[in-house]
Amino acid sequence: MKFISTRGQTEPHSFTQALAVGLAPDGGLFLPEHLPDIAPRLGGWGNLSYADLCTEFLAIFATDIPDEVLNRIVHRSYAHFTHPQIAPLQSLDVRTSVLELFHGPTLAFKDFALQLLGNLYEYQGGLSGRSINVLGATSGDTGAAAIHGLLGKPRSAVFMLYPEGRISPLQERQMTCTGADNIHALAIDGSFDDAQRIIKSIFNDHTFSQRHRLSAVNSINLVRVLAQCVYYLYAWLQLSVTDRRRVEFVVPTGNFGNIFAGWLLAEMGVPILGFKLATNQNDILHRLFTTGEYRIGTVQPSLAPSMDIQVASNFERFLYYQLGGDTTQVRQVMHTLQTTGTYQFAHFDHSTLSTSRATDADITSNLRRVYETYGYIIDPHTACAFQDLHPDRLSIILATAHPAKFPAAIGAAIKQEPTHAALEDLKLRLVVKHRLPADEAAIKAFIAARAV
Ligand SMILES: *Cc1c(COP(=O)(O)O)cnc(C)c1O
């Protein structure tokens, strides 16, 4: 299968080519050239293990990776998840279930894609003999998951920038207590935006970024989206025939990455009734779906920090399908958005998608209510999804992080702080981080000295 760009000015790429470049050269995002119809295969997939299902699904797209190699890479990617079902479905009551996506190495759903991405990079590096230096900026979960995807791998190094003092102590420990020589956690004296700006500027220095074979990890890589389709499929396959007809997936959303994966799976012929996009107080997507207007504002820090986002980068993929695959129009809309920060859609067809919005007060009260009703502790991101659930549907709520990652917010709501053995272990380990000024030259010098 080939992959095309949402902006229509890139030659079709193979799976491994699209994986390697991430962003399409014309500035767009990769999508499959055509969407496969997987409906005829669903009957045979019901009893597969998570890793076997993932292999079967990805094989449809990764046609330039030999089957046995793909199988090995996928199995290795989910071997470090601590729950035997990888993505267990917990029933709370007849109308509410939780899909736990936090049993990976960094206890957030980003492990599903980034463990796989790390192993795929390793495979490519093995074929080409070339090394890779991953450069990124993080405000928390993505950085930790990317680091654990490449931990100790040959021919690879990770340089992860984060704002000193502005991420949670546990998130910092996940990045700085790895003990691996190829991981470099750079604590910048500045904000997340400063870190992000420096990264962009380093990638724009093509001579430097090519010399050191720099690569970005962010939510735009198509492989991340495809890896995330699998847990929706896995959950759906476990439902009874009746429940399959009434299920709505409810997804805490910032970048539109996670929910887009579910929506795309449905477009491939899996009959899912609906998806609910749950935002926090940074509600740009909620406003878009209720008014048709996309208006970029300023980020308001919330109790669910991994969703504190205004520009939802994966939205462009959804837009491509909204516009019937008209890449000229995609370019026009993206240009307008980038230059004016706003766009008003005349027709916005989203019959399978609904939205909700949760303030910090809602997050706290949802956390408390879920704990009091079911004795079940959710994290603040997952708490956004417990807002205004549909009365007649079966809601499957995607739990995107383990509650122990956010002890302060939970302690304030239910007067107890959840723990996790992996995080307790981190507290005993040595922190290794590099304090650097928010200065491009200083960061380039650091990278140049340590790139592999
Ligand atoms: C990244 C993240 C989200 C948001 O996911 P998107 O793909 O950006 O929509 C939600 N919850 C947690 C815990 C996250 O780490």
Side-chain angles (χ1 to χ4, degrees):
M1 182 177 290
K2 294 281 187 196
F3 298 87
I4 51 161
S5 165
T6 48
R7 300 200 187 172
Q9 296 180 323
T10 294
E11 286 292 296
H13 279 46
S14 73
F15 180 85
T16 53
Q17 286 168 334
L19 163 74
V21 296
L23 189 69
D26 61 9
L29 306 183
F30 283 110
L31 281 170
E33 192 170 39
H34 62 89
L35 289 181
D37 176 12
I38 63 171
R41 314 211 29 196
L42 296 173
W45 281 351
N47 294 318
L48 295 182
S49 70
Y50 190 90
D52 286 339
L53 180 66
C54 183
T55 307
E56 291 280 321
F57 180 77
L58 290 180
I60 300 170
F61 304 94
T63 47
D64 59 342
I65 299 182
D67 286 346
E68 66 281 7
V69 174
L70 185 66
N71 187 46
R72 199 179 61 233
I73 289 174
V74 170
H75 278 82
R76 202 183 321 139
S77 301
Y78 297 102
H80 301 297
F81 281 58
T82 53
H83 196 287
Q85 282 179 289
I86 311 295
L89 196 55
Q90 303 282 359
S91 173
L92 297 185
D93 65 29
V94 289
R95 287 191 296 129
T96 326
S97 290
V98 176
L99 183 62
E100 293 183 350
L101 301 177
F102 51 68
H103 296 288
T106 70
L107 312 181
F109 83 93
K110 295 190 170 80
D111 288 325
F112 278 82
L114 288 168
Q115 284 287 307
L116 184 73
L117 204 62
N119 286 318
L120 285 167
Y121 281 149
E122 182 180 12
Y123 163 70
Q124 276 188 326
L127 287 186
S128 66
R130 259 178 272 145
S131 53
I132 180 174
N133 290 291
V134 164
L135 176 60
T138 186
S139 52
D141 296 328
T142 307
I147 282 173
H148 285 261
L150 283 168
L151 202 64
K153 291 216 186 296
R155 285 182 296 268
S156 71
V158 181
F159 298 87
M160 193 57 67
L161 277 63
Y162 65 94
E164 166 68 19
R166 311 220 191 148
I167 66 171
S168 86
L170 284 174
Q171 285 177 324
E172 180 174 48
R173 283 191 168 266
Q174 286 187 315
M175 296 196 281
T176 58
C177 299
T178 65
D181 301 337
N182 70 330
I183 304 300
H184 308 287
L186 310 188
I188 302 302
D189 289 319
S191 66
F192 173 68
D193 290 336
D194 293 329
Q196 189 85 331
R197 183 175 41 74
I198 293 168
I199 299 282
K200 280 207 182 117
S201 170
I202 294 178
F203 277 111
N204 278 331
D205 180 346
H206 296 293
T207 316
F208 183 86
S209 74
Q210 278 164 17
R211 181 182 324 132
H212 297 295
R213 293 167 304 282
L214 297 185
S215 171
V217 272
N218 41 36
S219 58
I220 54 167
N221 202 305
L222 179 70
V223 176
R224 287 185 67 176
V225 175
L226 295 176
Q228 292 175 178
C229 291
V230 179
Y231 45 71
Y232 289 92
L233 182 57
Y234 183 70
W236 185 86
L237 286 166
Q238 288 175 53
L239 301 178
S240 68
V241 174
T242 326
D243 281 346
R244 283 181 181 178
R245 272 195 233 111
R246 61 177 193 125
V247 69
E248 172 164 85
F249 285 95
V250 190
V251 191
T253 302
N255 244 322
F256 210 78
N258 197 356
I259 195 164
F260 175 72
W263 181 86
L264 194 69
L265 179 76
E267 292 291 300
M268 296 178 205
V270 184
I272 296 167
L273 193 59
F275 294 91
K276 182 126 150 279
L277 186 162
T279 71
N280 62 16
Q281 63 198 12
N282 294 292
D283 60 351
I284 179 167
L285 293 168
H286 176 61
R287 284 184 281 117
L288 168 68
F289 281 82
T290 42
T291 68
E293 187 193 38
Y294 193 91
R295 177 180 289 277
I296 298 167
T298 47
V299 172
Q300 307 288 326
S302 78
L303 290 175
S306 300
M307 291 157 59
D308 288 345
I309 283 167
Q310 282 289 336
V311 184
S313 41
N314 270 288
F315 178 68
E316 183 168 343
R317 290 194 163 105
F318 184 68
L319 184 67
Y320 171 89
Y321 291 107
Q322 278 288 312
L323 299 174
D326 182 340
T327 53
T328 308
Q329 268 199 65
V330 174
R331 286 201 301 279
Q332 281 162 359
V333 175
M334 290 314 292
H335 179 75
T336 308
L337 267 177
Q338 267 149 18
T339 47
T340 68
T342 172
Y343 193 85
Q344 179 70 48
F345 290 90
H347 307 285
F348 203 65
D349 168 28
H350 51 87
S351 49
T352 58
L353 277 164
S354 59
T355 61
S356 66
R357 167 188 201 271
T359 62
D360 276 359
D362 294 327
I363 290 176
T364 302
S365 78
N366 290 348
L367 253 158
R368 194 176 293 136
R369 178 170 50 84
V370 170
Y371 180 63
E372 284 169 1
T373 315
Y374 307 110
Y376 186 79
I377 303 180
I378 51 177
D379 93 286
H381 301 81
T382 308
C384 294
F386 276 85
Q387 190 73 21
D388 309 327
L389 291 179
H390 198 292
D392 309 316
R393 295 187 177 176
L394 167 64
S395 296
I396 294 189
I397 288 138
L398 271 57
T400 50
H402 193 285
K405 283 190 96 166
F406 303 94
I410 293 169
I414 63 167
K415 310 287 173 271
Q416 61 167 291
E417 295 194 355
T419 57
H420 189 286
L423 296 175
E424 294 307 306
D425 175 56
L426 280 181
K427 290 179 188 163
L428 308 172
R429 299 224 215 141
L430 189 66
V431 171
V432 181
K433 63 175 177 179
H434 305 274
R435 283 288 294 271
L436 286 175
D439 170 55
E440 185 178 338
I443 290 162
K444 276 180 165 166
F446 185 94
I447 294 170
R450 289 173 179 79
V452 292

